[in-house]
Amino acid sequence: VAETLDRAAKKLDTDLATQPAQRAKLQDTLGYTYHSLGLYREAVLLFEKVREYDLAISGPKHPRTLAAMNNLALSYADAGRKEEALKMQEEVLALRRKVLGPKHLDTLSAVNNLANSYFDASRKDEALKLQEEVLRLRRNMLGPEHPDTLGAMNNLALSFFDAGRKEEVLKLQEEVLPLYRKLRGPEHPDTLSAMNNLAKSYADAGRKDEALKL
């Protein structure tokens, strides 16, 4: 598959030289495919070209340009280029807040991505602040049972755990497990992961019987 993608990516530069819009669209598609395969360096090269095209044609504030920047930032992060990812995610968030507003779903996605990068960079306080913002807004906008809300609860619980805020961890994890059981069923991997996380927290809190049962 990777070899086929390589050939396709090279052909785009020649076969669609006179159709830059179509070329950028296909480069974006191939970039997603590379990223899904874990070929992050190859994804970066294509997403950089897409961003350059969208920036030149639509300007820095267009939603399409911001989407291209977001894809590139995620690929930078997965390729180990953490500082470039962090810088671009800060830029994407600032622009999305300005262009789309603070409550737009794309803005919330940018907040979540930046929080993850702050966490990876050991900027834990900044990560927690953003994760709390994401959870609050997703609850208000999407409801308490939306998958994105549950994901935000999980992320915040893990950050609380890392920060040693054990009571807040337990409160969130005890809240999220029944929601996963209700929405996903008792045997879904997300439900099992939530059970495992809560069991670890019970053990850490000295509640050994409850941990063992889970």
Side-chain angles (χ1 to χ4, degrees):
V1 173
E3 291 173 0
T4 303
L5 287 174
D6 290 342
R7 289 195 296 271
K10 290 175 182 177
K11 288 187 67 174
L12 290 179
D13 288 328
T14 55
D15 292 4
L16 295 178
T18 59
Q19 302 176 58
Q22 184 68 11
R23 179 175 60 192
K25 182 178 179 180
L26 291 173
Q27 285 171 332
D28 189 58
T29 301
L30 290 179
Y32 271 115
T33 310
Y34 272 129
H35 194 275
S36 299
L37 291 170
L39 299 170
Y40 304 123
R41 287 179 296 177
E42 291 83 350
V44 162
L45 294 174
L46 288 174
F47 284 140
E48 285 178 335
K49 292 179 180 180
V50 175
R51 175 182 175 271
E52 288 172 8
Y53 172 79
D54 287 336
L55 188 61
I57 297 299
S58 304
K61 297 181 180 180
H62 194 281
R64 189 168 53 242
T65 305
L66 296 179
M69 292 171 65
N70 184 66
N71 292 337
L72 179 56
L74 292 175
S75 291
Y76 278 152
D78 287 330
R81 297 166 64 172
K82 305 295 185 181
E83 291 185 9
E84 291 166 285
L86 191 57
K87 182 179 179 181
M88 186 162 289
Q89 284 169 340
E90 289 176 330
E91 187 178 353
V92 168
L93 176 55
L95 287 169
R96 278 184 168 169
R97 278 175 169 162
K98 183 176 181 179
V99 174
L100 303 175
K103 296 183 179 180
H104 194 281
L105 292 181
D106 287 346
T107 305
L108 291 187
S109 177
V111 175
N112 188 66
N113 292 339
L114 181 56
N116 291 337
S117 287
Y118 278 153
F119 192 82
D120 289 340
S122 296
R123 295 166 63 173
K124 305 297 174 65
D125 290 341
E126 292 165 287
L128 271 172
K129 183 179 179 180
L130 290 181
Q131 286 172 335
E132 288 175 322
E133 178 185 348
V134 170
L135 178 54
R136 176 177 56 81
L137 290 173
R138 282 182 172 171
R139 274 176 170 160
N140 290 339
M141 297 171 60
L142 303 174
E145 298 183 355
H146 192 279
D148 288 349
T149 304
L150 300 188
M153 293 172 71
N154 266 331
N155 289 340
L156 182 56
L158 292 172
S159 293
F160 278 151
F161 185 86
D162 190 73
R165 294 164 63 173
K166 297 180 181 181
E167 290 185 8
E168 290 161 296
V169 174
L170 277 171
K171 181 180 178 181
L172 270 178
Q173 290 178 337
E174 286 177 333
E175 186 179 350
V176 81
L177 177 55
L179 290 172
Y180 272 125
R181 281 176 169 154
K182 176 182 176 181
L183 297 172
R184 302 285 203 221
E187 297 182 357
H188 191 279
D190 289 344
T191 306
L192 300 180
S193 177
M195 292 172 67
N196 187 62
N197 291 337
L198 181 55
K200 288 180 179 179
S201 294
Y202 278 151
D204 191 58
R207 296 164 63 175
K208 305 296 185 182
D209 291 342
E210 292 163 288
L212 187 59
K213 182 178 177 180
L214 278 178

